[in-house]
Amino acid sequence: MRSVHLLVPALLLLLAFPVSRGRYNDDFDDGEDIADFDDNDFAEFEDMNDDQEEEDEDEATVELEDGLDGFEDSEAQDQDMYSKYDQEEFEGIGDMEKGHSMKDPLIIHTVPAHLQNSWESYYMEILMVTGLLAYIMNYLIGKNKNSRLAQAWFNSHKELLESNFALVGDDGTSKEAVSTGKLNQENEHIYNLWCSGRVCCEGMLIQLKFLKRQDLLNVLARMMRPIGDQVQIKVTLNEDDMDTFVFAVGTKKVMAKLQKEMQDLSEFCGDKPKSGAKFGLPDSLSILSEMGEVTDGVMDNKMVHYITNNAEKIESIHFSDQFSGPKVMQEEGQPLKLPETKRTLLFTFNVPGMGNTSPKDMESLLPLMNMVIYSIDKVKKLRLNREGKMKADRNRARVEENFLKQTHAQRQEAAQTRREEKKRAEKERIMSEEDPERQRRLEEAAQRREQKKIEKKQMKMKQIKVKAM
Amino acid sequence: MMSFNNVSDPRRQNKILRYKAPSTETNPTLEDPTPDYMNLLGMIFSMCGLMLKWCAWIAVYCSFISFANSRSSEDTKQMMSSFMLSISAVVMSYLQNPQPMSPPW
C-alpha cells in the first residue's frame, strides 16, 4: 500500500513537468522530460531537426499550393501539441482573450499642438511677427521719405534765406551764434529752422510739419481721411517793426475755426469773416480784420498777386501785435492773468500733393517764401493814420479792462471764500473749547473784531461819498 | 563801429537772436501726447501679458509705436526699457505656456 502511495505523487510530478515545460517552451513539445535528454547537448535538438525536416517537407509541398496552407499546418501542429495536455487546463483562455478585446477599445488621442512638430500651428505668432516686420519696414521708408522732402525744401530755399538772414539754422545749444546751415530735426516728421539777424524782425521760425509717414497706424488712418503736409512760418517782431493791428486771411473753414480758437482774433476781430472776392482775392478765401483801414493797407497789389497765384497752397496768414496763441483754458480758482503778447506774423502753407508729396512739391513753395519776406518789409512800413491808431488803442484798452474786471470778480470771489473759511475755522475752535470761560472770552473777541470791520467799511463809504461830492 | 552793408542787403549781424525752444508749459496743446500714452499702454499690457499672450504681443506693438512717434530729445533709456519689458513679457508667456496663441474667433 505504501508503494502505491508513493507512486501516485511520483506520477503526478512526472505529469506536471511536461505540462509546465510545454507552456513556455515549444521546442520540447514532443512530450519528453528534460531529464530524459542525454549529456549530448544537441540531443534535445535532434527531434526538432526532424520536426523541421518534416515541416520543410510539408512546406515544400505547401509552396506550390496556397500559402495559407503552411499556417494551417502549423495551427494543426499547435493543436496537436495542446491535445497532448489536459484540456481542462486551457479552459477559459479563449474567453479571456475575447474579453480583453471587448473591454479596451483603442483610443487614438490627438497630439497636443505644442508637441506637434509643425510650424503651421503657430500661424498667429507668424502673423504677429510679420506685422512687426511690416511696421519696421514702413518706419524706415517713411522716415527716409520725410527726410528727403525736408532736404529738398531746404536745398531750394537755402539761397533765399542766406541772402536775407545773418543766422540760418540754430539749435540754441552751441556757445556762439554760428549758422548750422541745416535743419533741426525735432522728430521723424517735424523739422525746424531758426533764422535771425535781419532788419525789420527779431527772427523767423520755420516748421516743416510732415505727415507721420513713419507710423503705420497713421498711414492707415490717412487712407480714411487724407491730409497734407504743412509748412508753418512764425516771424517775431519788435515794437518798432509793427504797428498795432490784427489781421488774418485764409480759407473760409480755417478762418471760422481761428476766430473761435485764437485769443486775439476772437477779441479784436469780432465781425464775421468777409469774403476775399471784395478785395480781389479768390472766393475761397476770407478775411478777418480789426478795421477796414488795416485790410486796405495789407492787401496791396503785390500781396493780392502773391495770394491769388498761390491760393491753393495758403491755409492762413495771420498778422497781429496781440498774438498770444490759442485760448488757454484757465483752471478754476486761479486768477486770470493777462496773457503775454508778441508782435507776430504767422503763415501756414499746405504742401501740394495731399500726402503724396514729391520733392518737386516742396520746391514749389519758394514763391511763398518770397511773399513772407515781402510781408516782413511791408508790415514795417505800414502805419495806421491818426483815426486808426486811436481806434486800435481804444480796442486794446477795452480788452484790458475786460480782463481786469474778470480778474477782479474772480479775486473777490476768492477773497470771500477765504474769509468764510476763516470764520468757520474760528467758530469751530470756539465750539471745541472745553473751558466755558475761555469760550466766552473768545466769542467776545470775535464779536469785537467784526464790529471794527464794519466800522472801517462805513468810514470808507463816507470818504468815497465825500470825494464824489 | 558800423559796417555799411550794401543798401539792399537786409542782413544784420548785430540783430541776431539765439533760438529758444518754445516752452510747452504755455502751450500744452502743441505737444503730441502719443508717445507717452503708448509708453504707458505698453507697460500695462506687458503686465497683463504674463497672463494673456495677446496682451504681450500688443505691448510689443505699443512700444514700437511709441518709439516711432517719440521726439529726438526724449531719453532713449526710457524707450529701450519699455521695449525690453514688452519683449520679456512675450518670452516669459511662451516659456510658461508654449502652446500657440488661439485666435479670438
Side-chain angles (χ1 to χ4, degrees):
Chain A
M1 284 300 283
R2 251 194 214 169
S3 58
V4 174
H5 284 248
L6 281 170
L7 253 174
V8 167
L11 267 171
L12 281 170
L13 273 168
L14 280 169
L15 279 168
F17 259 116
V19 169
S20 62
R21 287 202 66 78
R23 274 192 204 157
Y24 303 114
N25 199 340
D26 289 337
D27 293 340
F28 303 101
D29 271 350
D30 48 42
E32 290 170 1
D33 289 344
I34 294 167
D36 289 343
F37 288 121
D38 300 338
D39 289 329
N40 182 2
D41 288 333
F42 299 103
E44 60 201 62
F45 295 107
E46 280 173 13
D47 294 328
M48 256 192 71
N49 284 334
D50 292 337
D51 283 336
Q52 278 184 354
E53 279 170 25
E54 283 175 11
E55 284 176 15
D56 287 336
E57 281 171 31
D58 290 333
E59 277 174 23
T61 54
V62 163
E63 273 174 351
L64 298 168
E65 298 164 17
D66 189 10
L68 285 169
D69 288 349
F71 291 108
E72 280 173 21
D73 283 342
S74 66
E75 273 179 20
Q77 280 182 4
D78 285 339
Q79 280 177 0
D80 291 336
M81 284 178 226
Y82 280 128
S83 62
K84 290 172 190 171
Y85 301 102
D86 188 3
Q87 287 303 310
E88 284 177 18
E89 290 176 21
F90 300 102
E91 278 174 18
I93 283 176
D95 295 336
M96 268 173 63
E97 285 172 356
K98 279 181 202 166
H100 259 288
S101 58
M102 292 300 282
K103 276 179 195 172
D104 296 325
L106 265 176
I107 302 166
I108 299 168
H109 291 276
T110 49
V111 178
H114 70 282
L115 296 174
Q116 292 175 16
N117 280 335
S118 72
W119 290 104
E120 287 166 2
S121 52
Y122 286 91
Y123 67 93
M124 282 298 287
E125 282 76 7
I126 292 167
L127 264 173
M128 287 290 186
V129 171
T130 314
L132 277 176
L133 287 172
Y135 192 91
I136 293 168
M137 287 294 292
N138 179 74
Y139 173 81
L140 294 170
I141 294 168
K143 175 183 157 171
N144 195 23
K145 171 127 197 218
N146 279 348
S147 175
R148 277 189 293 119
L149 290 173
Q151 209 51 48
W153 180 91
F154 186 63
N155 291 339
S156 60
H157 287 70
K158 194 172 176 179
E159 211 181 299
L160 178 65
L161 292 170
E162 280 178 348
S163 63
N164 274 285
F165 293 91
L167 178 75
V168 174
D170 182 25
D171 54 9
T173 54
S174 57
K175 277 185 183 174
E176 284 179 26
V178 179
S179 294
T180 57
K182 58 177 184 174
L183 295 163
N184 182 23
Q185 189 174 1
E186 202 174 287
N187 50 33
E188 303 300 344
H189 61 282
I190 298 181
Y191 291 79
N192 290 340
L193 185 72
W194 172 253
C195 303
S196 186
R198 192 190 191 274
V199 287
C200 310
C201 69
E202 283 182 354
M204 177 167 80
L205 179 66
I206 304 167
Q207 273 198 322
L208 303 176
K209 289 182 173 171
F210 293 114
L211 302 168
K212 286 186 184 177
R213 292 185 174 85
Q214 78 279 10
D215 181 14
L216 188 59
L217 281 184
N218 206 276
V219 169
L220 296 170
R222 269 191 293 117
M223 287 182 185
M224 313 285 177
R225 200 168 56 98
I227 44 173
D229 303 299
Q230 277 193 340
V231 175
Q232 200 178 70
I233 300 170
K234 188 172 173 181
V235 184
T236 43
L237 307 152
N238 279 331
E239 271 185 34
D240 311 323
D241 300 327
M242 184 175 173
D243 209 347
T244 54
F245 63 88
V246 177
F247 172 84
V249 59
T251 56
K252 286 181 180 164
K253 202 174 165 188
V254 171
M255 282 296 105
K257 195 181 97 170
L258 287 180
Q259 195 176 29
K260 281 183 210 163
E261 285 179 3
M262 287 296 180
Q263 184 81 36
D264 54 348
L265 288 174
S266 62
E267 281 168 357
F268 294 95
C269 307
D271 300 331
K272 268 171 90 175
K274 291 184 192 137
S275 171
K278 291 180 190 171
F279 301 93
L281 298 173
D283 199 31
S284 58
L285 301 174
S286 55
I287 294 172
L288 277 171
S289 178
E290 195 178 346
M291 52 190 109
E293 187 194 333
V294 169
T295 316
D296 294 330
V298 173
M299 290 287 121
D300 61 356
N301 286 335
K302 200 162 181 187
M303 201 66 177
V304 169
H305 184 74
Y306 269 127
I307 293 174
T308 312
N309 286 350
N310 301 287
E312 72 284 354
K313 293 181 201 135
I314 294 171
E315 179 163 299
S316 69
I317 296 172
H318 181 181
F319 299 166
S320 174
D321 72 308
Q322 297 286 316
F323 183 79
S324 61
K327 285 183 188 170
V328 183
M329 297 306 292
Q330 287 284 344
E331 286 173 21
E332 280 201 42
Q334 275 188 7
L336 254 176
K337 276 187 189 171
L338 210 63
E340 265 185 53
T341 60
K342 186 81 187 158
R343 282 167 161 80
T344 308
L345 309 180
L346 194 60
F347 301 82
T348 307
F349 301 132
N350 292 323
V351 179
M354 206 60 176
N356 295 326
T357 320
S358 69
K360 276 193 180 164
D361 294 324
M362 299 307 290
E363 287 161 17
S364 70
L365 295 171
L366 192 58
L368 292 166
M369 188 53 73
N370 282 315
M371 182 180 79
V372 170
I373 304 290
Y374 176 76
S375 303
I376 296 171
D377 294 328
K378 170 106 196 132
V379 159
K380 170 83 176 178
K381 290 180 224 159
L382 182 65
R383 299 287 156 193
L384 299 167
N385 60 20
R386 208 164 59 122
E387 211 179 287
K389 188 82 183 139
M390 272 173 62
K391 204 172 170 185
D393 290 339
R394 250 185 287 138
N395 284 340
R396 275 141 193 78
R398 169 181 52 87
V399 167
E400 203 177 319
E401 212 180 298
N402 286 339
F403 261 120
L404 285 171
K405 273 186 189 169
Q406 276 185 314
T407 322
H408 182 67
Q410 277 190 341
R411 266 196 237 133
Q412 270 201 323
E413 263 185 61
Q416 185 69 21
T417 46
R418 257 183 277 133
R419 259 181 263 136
E420 281 175 9
E421 281 287 326
K422 265 189 186 172
K423 269 189 190 169
R424 229 178 288 144
E426 263 206 66
K427 274 186 185 164
E428 271 183 40
R429 233 184 58 199
I430 292 166
M431 294 306 283
S432 63
E433 199 60 58
E434 286 179 6
D435 189 7
E437 248 327 290
R438 279 189 83 176
Q439 217 179 42
R440 197 171 46 84
R441 256 184 270 157
L442 283 167
E443 270 184 42
E444 279 176 11
Q447 271 181 351
R448 260 181 268 142
R449 260 182 260 137
E450 280 287 323
Q451 199 66 26
K452 272 188 185 170
K453 274 186 191 168
I454 293 166
E455 279 172 18
K456 260 189 184 173
K457 266 190 185 169
Q458 283 177 344
M459 287 290 288
K460 269 190 181 172
M461 292 300 286
K462 280 184 188 169
Q463 280 179 357
I464 289 167
K465 277 183 185 171
V466 164
K467 274 188 184 172
M469 276 164 62
Chain B
M1 197 172 107
M2 226 165 90
S3 58
F4 285 94
N5 293 322
N6 194 352
V7 179
S8 60
D9 187 5
R11 290 176 291 183
R12 296 290 180 270
Q13 203 70 32
N14 55 350
K15 284 198 84 179
I16 286 177
L17 261 177
R18 296 303 304 276
Y19 172 65
K20 210 173 75 177
S23 165
T24 48
E25 281 177 17
T26 49
N27 279 327
T29 48
L30 289 176
E31 224 181 78
D32 181 22
T34 309
D36 301 319
Y37 279 145
M38 282 295 153
N39 221 358
L40 182 67
L41 265 179
M43 287 197 210
I44 293 170
F45 275 117
S46 295
M47 295 297 127
C48 300
L50 297 168
M51 293 177 278
L52 298 159
K53 285 209 181 94
W54 55 267
C55 281
W57 282 106
I58 291 173
V60 177
Y61 272 94
C62 284
S63 69
F64 267 86
I65 294 168
S66 173
F67 174 75
N69 285 288
S70 65
R71 282 147 243 141
S72 308
S73 57
E74 260 189 48
D75 200 6
T76 46
K77 282 182 228 163
Q78 172 82 352
M79 287 291 137
M80 286 308 291
S81 70
S82 140
F83 181 66
M84 287 294 151
L85 185 66
S86 57
I87 295 284
S88 68
V90 170
V91 168
M92 297 233 293
S93 68
Y94 276 94
L95 280 174
Q96 187 188 47
N97 183 12
Q99 271 195 353
M101 210 162 54
S102 56
W105 51 86

